[in-house]
Amino acid sequence: MKYQDFYFSILNSTSNKREAKSYLQRFFPTDSISAGSVTKLSADGTQQPSLINECHTSSKTSGVNLGTFYPLGRAVVESPLFTQYPFPRQLPTSTAGRQHVAIVKIRLPQNLLDETIAGIGNTLSQLRRLGLYSVIIADCCLEFIASDPNLKISNWRNFVTQQSDRIVAAIDTEGGRGARRVDDIIGIPPKPDSTSNEVRAQIVNPTLLRLPLQRGVLPVVSPIGYLQNSQKAIRVDVDEIILALARELAGIPETSQLDDNPMRLAERVRELQRQVSLDRIIILDPLGGIPSTKCPHGAHIFLNLEQDYQGVKNELLGIPDTPHSAAPSSRILPQLSKRADEINSKKGINKVHLKNLELLQSTLLFLPPTSSALITTAEQAANSGQDYRTSFNASKVGTRKLRNPLIHNLLTDRPAFSSSLPDRRGSRSFSPHSTNDANHGLRLTTFAKRGMPLTIIPSPQLGGWKFPGLNESKISLDDPRLDLPRLIHLIEDSFDRKLDVDHYLNRIKGHVAGIVVAGEYEGGAIFTWECPPGVKNDGSEASRKRMVPYLDKFAVLKKCQGAGGVADIVISAMVRKCFPDGVCWRSRSNNPVNKWYFERARGNWSLPHTNWTMFWTTENLSNNPQDFLDYERVCRTVQPSWLDNKRVSD
């Protein structure tokens, strides 16, 4: 039982058993813990005393102060995931034996208090005990004074070395194998031509990087580059060094000769990737996560870079939203010029955020899709389960633990809060003007993945989809942009039922509102315009106003359910792009996914004398009796299109 205390603290810090099992299987050998030791159910389905239950009452620790990330209430312990079928008992194939690595960039360490640096050292040491080894680099942002001819290179080197040594000392204080400053590994090749300003850093001595990692020592890389033809020390953009580190740790060769054997080169890359898995890019920035004027809490919670990168970049540049144009037109160039002046007047705040965004895009582009990135503040990273005491407030009496976004993300591989929650719930969790709650700093945290592309047909205009006019073309599932067989397979796999395709196509023909497809048909949704019973669908303005936006099919492949954020990506597109004014749907009352729906809907209603529950995202629907009745009539009367007749009667 040498791992028991360690597992107690892990399981006490994840929101559900599934996340605990996923983390343990990914980071530790399969013979260290079995599925049976994580949870044990009796014949009647009740939990028996086991590791998962004991962890809530054990007061022992393993030296890893994870903090109480979640209250132990039932609603949180049973945190719902989008799953439409029983989750498999067996654990996934283990990747034990690979070393899991994160690259951590600390921006402006010279402005951080010694207590904050010590807290960061504590957190990085905890991550190491949890199986994630960090490669750290300090970004002192000296590019602003690099043009000063009076700044001697020796003074600059001494300054950045001093900041690196502060980080090493903070990690060493935590005990264990400590940290080590690593010099002389960044090489700068000669420029291909004298007019090129591109500086591409390379790792010229990877052994100095890999040996400490193999011994459990955290390398702190000095941000100093050396010209390969003269060994002269020069200043290098830290982001260029991070890209070089990422390529090295991902096993991507910087250069290859024409006479290199491609088979041997490929085998070398595979061998490196079997040894090391680059799981995280972490940026600790005093500005925190990527800001957003569209989010009530002021920052993006989750970025699906495949879909969101260009839009977020345009927002940081001040380019207005346009439905179709990807590049700024001459009409808005004066606005861009004005926005540039505003950015300069704000000391380049948006420029820093844009630089962070581009670093995430550049690194995650060539890393495995399981890799992710996190941007938060150094203060949040330093909060390793510290007590959070506020001034007296009758509604918030007591001492609570601060969440640490780095440790939370390692254990769960997701943001602290879902990005598809209604704004009112996001606002309740993230009050942008309040620093008097334990979750305040998490609103400054952005979690990002390379993600997957999102196909939305038709492309949503500003304000979302509208019911088409008499002379406007209508959407159908025969659209050449859709792969109908794959869409049908997605639906049947998700619901584990055979679709009556002919009946379904005939039923929705002529009133499809749109289709959303995530990735390579890993997830998707079909929306329709439904005419309430009793309303004459004659194309008049009166009947058009009564049309109900209806989520007819919402499907996620079984292998993607419960993880990866596919369901959140689709539902976010639905509520933020396609139907920002609201949409309704129904689900069988005993559907296990209803817990997930309850969190994301603005309201729900169990339809009397049926087996259906109606959900909606329309704000203040209860204040509009006519719309409510139309929603209810539609949800009661839509005819299912399944081939089997073996399910419980609706």
Side-chain angles (χ1 to χ4, degrees):
M1 298 298 291
K2 65 177 182 178
Y3 295 106
Q4 180 169 326
D5 293 343
F6 183 59
Y7 292 142
F8 282 157
S9 56
I10 294 171
L11 298 172
N12 195 36
S13 305
T14 51
S15 64
N16 54 59
K17 297 185 289 293
R18 191 173 298 120
E19 287 176 348
K21 288 194 289 187
S22 176
Y23 160 75
L24 292 173
Q25 185 63 21
R26 178 168 174 77
F27 282 85
F28 293 93
T30 52
D31 57 0
S32 297
I33 186 168
S34 64
S37 63
V38 175
T39 181
K40 184 179 180 182
L41 300 179
S42 66
D44 61 0
T46 59
Q47 290 188 16
Q48 298 300 311
S50 62
L51 185 56
I52 192 70
N53 290 330
E54 293 168 11
C55 70
H56 294 309
T57 56
S58 172
S59 60
K60 301 175 183 179
T61 63
S62 63
V64 183
N65 184 7
L66 297 174
T68 307
F69 296 123
Y70 302 95
L72 298 181
R74 185 180 64 179
V76 176
V77 173
E78 298 176 357
S79 178
L81 297 175
F82 186 91
T83 56
Q84 291 176 306
Y85 71 108
F87 227 75
R89 285 289 190 157
Q90 66 273 19
L91 296 173
T93 303
S94 174
T95 57
R98 300 173 71 188
Q99 189 171 40
H100 299 271
V101 177
I103 297 176
V104 181
K105 167 184 167 181
I106 304 176
R107 184 171 172 269
L108 295 175
Q110 65 267 33
N111 294 348
L112 299 178
L113 300 174
D114 289 340
E115 292 81 359
T116 304
I117 293 289
I120 293 173
N122 180 23
T123 297
L124 296 179
S125 297
Q126 292 181 23
L127 290 177
R128 173 171 52 189
R129 297 186 187 104
L130 290 167
L132 186 67
Y133 293 80
S134 300
V135 176
I136 306 111
I137 185 166
D139 183 4
C140 299
C141 297
L142 296 178
E143 62 270 18
F144 299 111
I145 57 175
S147 59
D148 185 355
N150 298 319
L151 180 63
K152 296 181 179 179
I153 189 69
S154 58
N155 294 340
W156 168 77
R157 289 175 61 184
N158 290 338
F159 184 81
V160 296
T161 298
Q162 179 187 22
Q163 297 306 316
S164 298
D165 287 341
R166 289 179 70 201
I167 300 169
V168 170
I171 298 172
D172 286 344
T173 302
E174 298 300 319
R177 297 185 181 272
R180 168 185 168 186
R181 177 163 51 85
V182 178
D183 301 307
D184 306 329
I185 68 169
I186 308 299
I188 307 299
K191 294 181 180 180
D193 59 82
S194 58
T195 61
S196 173
N197 293 322
E198 180 182 357
V199 177
R200 176 162 176 166
Q202 297 179 358
I203 306 301
V204 295
N205 204 339
T207 304
L208 294 179
L209 176 68
R210 291 182 178 273
L211 271 180
L213 284 172
Q214 292 170 3
R215 295 170 180 171
V217 178
L218 304 186
V220 180
V221 178
S222 295
I224 303 170
Y226 295 88
L227 292 175
Q228 294 180 9
N229 56 356
S230 65
Q231 294 303 304
K232 178 183 177 181
I234 64 171
R235 306 177 184 92
V236 183
D237 188 342
V238 168
D239 288 1
E240 280 291 333
I241 298 177
I242 291 175
L243 282 169
L245 290 169
R247 287 191 294 266
E248 174 62 32
L249 293 170
I252 300 175
E254 290 285 355
T255 58
S256 59
Q257 303 298 325
L258 291 176
D259 57 350
D260 284 345
N261 187 318
M263 300 298 292
R264 291 180 180 177
L265 187 62
E267 180 56 34
R268 176 180 173 273
V269 171
R270 283 194 295 267
E271 179 60 29
L272 290 173
Q273 292 175 344
R274 281 193 291 265
Q275 296 174 5
V276 174
S277 172
L278 181 53
D279 291 350
R280 297 287 191 281
I281 304 295
I282 299 173
I283 300 176
L284 306 183
D285 193 307
L287 298 177
I290 305 295
S292 172
T293 58
K294 302 174 184 177
C295 298
H297 37 77
H300 289 280
I301 300 173
F302 171 69
L303 289 179
N304 170 23
L305 291 175
E306 281 275 6
Q307 180 69 20
D308 300 333
Y309 170 73
Q310 192 60 50
V312 175
K313 181 178 179 179
N314 288 347
E315 184 179 356
L316 291 173
L317 290 172
I319 300 175
D321 283 331
T322 56
H324 301 294
S325 61
S329 65
S330 58
R331 179 171 50 87
I332 61 174
L333 287 178
Q335 300 178 36
L336 294 181
S337 176
K338 179 181 179 181
R339 183 57 177 165
D341 294 337
E342 292 175 0
I343 292 175
N344 290 333
S345 68
K346 294 178 181 179
K347 300 181 180 180
I349 290 178
N350 277 14
K351 183 179 179 181
V352 173
H353 287 303
L354 184 61
K355 199 166 183 286
N356 288 339
L357 177 69
E358 291 175 341
L359 176 61
L360 301 191
Q361 172 75 353
S362 300
T363 50
L364 293 179
L365 192 62
F366 59 79
L367 293 179
T370 54
S371 299
S372 59
L374 195 71
I375 306 178
T376 189
T377 64
E379 288 73 18
Q380 282 298 303
N383 290 330
S384 299
Q386 301 169 10
D387 290 343
Y388 183 85
R389 294 179 173 85
T390 64
S391 57
F392 178 78
N393 186 323
S395 63
K396 297 181 180 179
V397 177
T399 300
R400 289 176 289 168
K401 299 287 186 178
L402 283 171
R403 298 186 186 185
N404 185 300
L406 274 64
I407 297 176
H408 169 272
N409 179 252
L410 172 65
L411 297 176
T412 64
D413 195 32
R414 60 177 175 84
F417 298 93
S418 171
S419 59
S420 66
L421 290 175
D423 288 346
R424 57 186 172 84
R425 296 186 181 177
S427 301
R428 190 166 60 213
S429 298
F430 294 101
S431 174
H433 305 295
S434 172
T435 60
N436 208 27
D437 67 86
N439 293 331
H440 164 67
L442 291 179
R443 70 181 175 86
L444 300 175
T445 299
T446 297
F447 175 62
K449 282 197 169 188
R450 187 176 69 191
M452 57 185 61
L454 201 64
T455 302
I456 303 178
I457 303 173
S459 178
Q461 305 288 326
L462 295 179
W465 288 334
K466 305 297 182 184
F467 188 77
L470 292 176
N471 298 323
E472 295 182 44
S473 60
K474 296 182 179 179
I475 302 298
S476 75
L477 297 190
D478 296 328
D479 192 291
R481 292 169 289 182
L482 288 173
D483 189 331
L484 183 57
R486 295 179 73 183
L487 185 61
I488 293 171
H489 169 73
L490 167 63
I491 295 170
E492 294 181 342
D493 179 82
S494 179
F495 287 88
D496 198 21
R497 303 179 73 175
K498 281 293 183 181
L499 185 70
D500 187 340
V501 178
D502 292 337
H503 179 273
Y504 183 66
L505 294 179
N506 288 330
R507 179 170 69 78
I508 66 174
K509 184 178 181 180
H511 55 102
V512 176
I515 301 100
V516 175
V517 176
E520 295 297 322
Y521 290 80
E522 285 99 336
I526 300 174
F527 302 88
T528 58
W529 295 107
E530 299 292 340
C531 184
V535 176
K536 187 176 181 180
N537 187 9
D538 55 5
S540 65
E541 186 65 23
S543 67
R544 287 165 52 84
K545 289 182 178 180
R546 297 284 295 275
M547 288 295 174
V548 172
Y550 180 69
L551 171 57
D552 190 86
K553 288 288 182 288
F554 183 31
V556 177
L557 288 178
K558 287 181 181 178
K559 66 179 182 179
C560 300
Q561 292 182 13
V566 177
D568 274 320
I569 289 172
V570 176
I571 209 79
S572 292
M574 177 185 80
V575 298
R576 304 190 190 285
K577 296 182 179 181
C578 303
F579 289 112
D581 295 332
V583 64
C584 72
W585 69 95
R586 71 182 185 182
S587 174
R588 283 183 173 80
S589 298
N590 58 351
N591 190 343
V593 83
N594 285 351
K595 290 182 180 180
W596 192 84
Y597 286 149
F598 286 139
E599 285 194 345
R600 283 148 184 83
R602 291 187 180 272
N604 61 86
W605 171 252
S606 294
L607 301 180
H609 311 297
T610 74
N611 193 35
W612 296 112
T613 298
M614 179 178 76
F615 297 89
W616 64 86
T617 62
T618 309
E619 192 168 4
N620 299 322
L621 180 66
S622 58
N623 295 336
N624 192 327
Q626 183 62 69
D627 287 349
F628 184 89
L629 289 175
D630 286 347
Y631 281 23
E632 180 183 3
R633 289 167 183 161
V634 166
C635 289
R636 281 181 179 273
T637 55
V638 169
Q639 294 299 310
S641 298
W642 303 109
L643 283 175
D644 65 85
N645 295 313
K646 300 177 182 179
R647 300 303 174 99
V648 178
S649 173
D650 298 329

